[in-house]
């Protein structure tokens, strides 16, 4: 029942471009039979043993309830008009039996999130859609909260915590051709110089290509500016056993402006999306949207860019 429901809802939901989504099921999981589950997908199910949960994990295991409650659509102008980083239901609470993650500095943890039809590249929904990236943000010190989505940048990146959405997933193809995403995992390592205390973090799925570029010499281990964060889940890690005091030395680095200056000043764009109405630089409307074949630009509507995932050349930032 659960599986059919899941697939039915996934297919229906994913026909609308804004509805693709994911969230963390578990921040710190161990899977004793991981190798067997990986080599016999669907025949051997992974035995996920969770010891640390995302914030306020009040619901458990019902895919539909969870997706309504936990999945936070960052860029929807109607449901997130104030640009919050976390779903307002995700306050810093941990219900009985669903504790916060506890770890030592330097520990490597494995997170589990949902695939929702995007885990397989060839058979995903839709087929051959690049599923993008998953990554983690943190302010580099205890008791520091990320509140705004504008803080989800390279400057607040948990160093190294960025992976292909489907890179470490278990999935199979059902006889009728639909994908069955069994589990998605991401490993991340806590910096060695974290001080004891509660460290707030944000998991993001960067599921759309955005406006910015990665600079020359960019490596896969660097923060990736090309992908835009689309959905988040918030969590905390209680660090214990550290000898370090004070903020940590490093975030992932800023990643520069990702080519924003060029895109606002010298790259042509199509006014209102019409190729017959090309313009360049300051004479163009401020809201830029990267498309496969170029850049569209639109005027503000009600004082802001009309669609999500824009680069606002007046504010000089991704909105
Ligand atoms: C993720 O992996 C798939 C399959 O290898 C690949 O096609 C895709 O480009 C990767 N995406 C990113 C953002 O690295």
């Amino acid at each position: 029942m659960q599986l059919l429901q899941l697939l039915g809802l996934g297919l229906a939901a994913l026909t609308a471009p804004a509805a693709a989504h994911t969230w963390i099921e578990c921040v710190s999981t161990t899977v004793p039979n991981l190798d067997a589950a990986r080599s016999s997908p669907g025949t051997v199910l992974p035995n996920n043993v969770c010891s640390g949960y995302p914030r306020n994990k009040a619901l458990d295991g019902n895919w539909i309830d969870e997706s309504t409650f936990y999945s936070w659509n960052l860029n929807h102008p109607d449901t997130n008009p104030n640009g919050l980083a976390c779903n307002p239901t995700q306050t810093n609470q941990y219900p009985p039996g669903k504790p916060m993650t506890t770890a030592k500095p330097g520990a490597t943890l494995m997170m589990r999130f949902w695939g929702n039809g995007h885990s397989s590249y060839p058979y995903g929904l839709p087929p051959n859609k690049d599923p993008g990236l998953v990554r983690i943000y943190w302010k580099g010190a205890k008791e520091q909260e990320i509140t705004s989505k504008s803080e989800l940048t390279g400057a607040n990146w948990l160093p190294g915590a960025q992976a292909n959405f489907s890179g470490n997933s278990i999935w199979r193809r059902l006889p009728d051709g639909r994908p069955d995403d069994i589990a998605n995992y991401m490993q991340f390592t806590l910096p060695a110089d974290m001080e004891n205390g509660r460290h707030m973090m944000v998991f993001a799925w960067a599921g759309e290509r955005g406006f910015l570029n990665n600079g020359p010499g960019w490596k896969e281990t660097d923060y990736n500016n090309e992908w835009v964060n689309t959905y988040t889940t918030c969590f905390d890690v209680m660090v214990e056993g550290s000898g370090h005091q004070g903020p940590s030395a490093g975030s992932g680095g800023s990643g520069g402006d990702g080519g924003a200056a060029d895109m606002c000043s010298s790259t042509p764009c199509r006014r209102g999306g019409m190729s017959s109405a090309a313009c360049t630089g300051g004479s163009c409307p401020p809201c830029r949207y990267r498309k496969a074949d170029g850049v569209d630009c639109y005027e503000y509507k009600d004082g802001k860019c009309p669609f999500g995932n824009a680069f606002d050349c007046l504010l000089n930032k991704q909105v």
Side-chain angles (χ1 to χ4, degrees):
M1 189 279 278
Q2 293 271 354
L3 180 68
L4 285 176
Q5 223 173 33
L6 186 158
L7 287 164
L9 197 125
L11 283 166
L14 291 167
T15 52
H21 51 267
T22 188
W23 67 97
I24 313 172
E25 181 66 24
C26 178
V27 174
S28 178
T29 192
T30 48
V31 189
N33 66 345
L34 186 60
D35 291 342
R38 200 182 288 291
S39 53
S40 310
T43 312
V44 178
L45 290 178
N47 178 19
N48 297 299
V49 184
C50 188
S51 60
Y53 290 81
R55 286 182 168 186
N56 201 11
K57 188 89 170 57
L59 302 161
D60 200 24
N62 182 316
W63 189 88
I64 294 163
D65 291 348
E66 286 196 352
S67 71
T68 310
F69 194 76
Y70 299 116
S71 180
W72 185 235
N73 184 344
L74 282 180
N75 302 325
H76 199 293
D78 299 334
T79 51
N80 190 13
N82 300 320
L84 300 178
C86 299
N87 190 326
T89 60
Q90 283 205 295
T91 51
N92 177 25
Q93 296 172 45
Y94 290 83
K98 299 285 179 285
M100 184 187 300
T101 305
T102 298
K104 292 195 164 59
T108 294
L109 306 179
M110 190 164 77
M111 172 179 280
R112 179 160 78 91
F113 55 96
W114 290 104
N116 290 331
H118 301 290
S119 293
S120 101
Y121 182 73
Y123 306 119
L125 303 171
N128 299 345
K129 178 184 190 297
D130 191 328
L133 302 168
V134 284
R135 49 197 178 188
I136 300 173
Y137 298 88
W138 162 64
K139 293 199 92 167
K142 68 178 177 185
E143 298 295 335
Q144 297 282 309
E145 185 87 4
I146 291 175
T147 54
S148 166
K149 72 172 190 176
S150 63
E151 296 172 274
L152 304 176
T153 67
N156 289 322
W157 182 43
L158 182 77
Q162 178 177 265
N164 192 301
F165 179 90
S166 58
N168 193 356
S169 63
I170 301 176
W171 60 274
R172 65 175 169 169
R173 195 181 183 200
L174 296 171
D176 65 9
R178 289 178 301 173
D180 175 16
D181 291 344
I182 295 166
N184 290 55
Y185 301 106
M186 172 192 188
Q187 284 198 327
F188 63 104
T189 299
L190 299 174
D193 63 350
M194 290 175 87
E195 65 182 326
N196 285 340
R198 184 180 65 90
H199 292 254
M200 184 268 182
M201 298 189 183
V202 180
F203 159 88
W205 177 23
E208 287 175 21
R209 278 187 186 282
F211 187 85
L212 304 181
N213 296 309
N214 292 317
W218 180 87
K219 304 182 297 300
E220 218 166 300
T221 47
D222 295 338
Y223 186 77
N224 192 326
N225 274 306
E226 287 189 357
W227 287 82
V228 175
N229 296 320
T230 44
Y231 286 87
T232 52
T233 311
C234 297
F235 64 101
D236 304 85
V237 176
M238 184 63 76
V239 171
E240 294 180 350
S242 174
H244 181 85
Q245 291 194 337
S248 302
S251 74
S254 77
D257 87 340
D262 277 0
M263 291 303 257
C264 289
S265 63
S266 57
T267 304
C269 67
R270 297 171 295 222
R271 204 184 273 273
M274 292 180 298
S275 48
S276 58
C279 62
T280 304
S283 67
C284 305
C287 305
R288 309 296 167 90
Y289 295 88
R290 187 189 285 284
K291 302 285 158 156
D293 60 347
V295 176
D296 290 346
C297 41
Y298 287 82
E299 298 289 357
Y300 283 169
K301 184 165 177 261
D302 301 328
K304 55 188 179 186
C305 290
F307 321 111
N309 189 5
F311 193 88
D312 183 326
C313 288
L314 294 181
L315 299 178
N316 195 28
K317 64 178 188 182
Q318 187 99 38
V319 291

